[in-house]
Amino acid sequence: MTEGVTGLFALGYSGVVLFVLAHSLRKLFPPMRAALAAFTLSSVVHGATTLMAGEQAALAFAFWGIPHLLILPLLLVSARRQAARGKDGG
């Protein structure tokens, strides 16, 4: 039960981090580039902190890496829709 709750927390955390960061970067970049930049920036920062986890590095990577990879397709679909909406004028 605890693993399930922890997994849902990790998935929710990754979703919030990626979508908020992509939304913030949207002011500087087109939607697709903002989404990819958000994923890259988040991965670099979380990767650096994972290196400091010592023996628990694999668990720390699983806590953010797997949810990030699960959220990435949703982030890219959202960016594609935003880009298409922008081209339509709407």
Side-chain angles (χ1 to χ4, degrees):
M1 171 95 168
T2 304
E3 292 86 9
V5 171
T6 303
L8 287 175
F9 171 76
L11 191 61
Y13 168 78
S14 292
V16 168
V17 165
L18 290 174
F19 278 94
V20 168
L21 188 55
H23 179 73
S24 297
L25 290 172
R26 175 71 172 91
K27 297 174 184 173
L28 300 173
F29 303 122
M32 189 61 73
R33 186 169 176 196
L36 292 173
F39 180 79
T40 303
L41 183 61
S42 181
S43 295
V44 167
V45 170
H46 284 95
T49 57
T50 298
L51 292 175
M52 294 185 274
E55 294 179 7
Q56 300 296 324
L59 182 61
F61 177 75
F63 188 73
W64 71 265
I66 294 169
H68 267 56
L69 291 175
L70 290 173
I71 295 291
L72 181 61
L74 300 174
L75 187 66
L76 294 177
V77 166
S78 176
R80 189 175 304 133
R81 286 183 181 170
Q82 286 180 359
R85 197 174 339 145
K87 289 180 183 175
D88 293 338

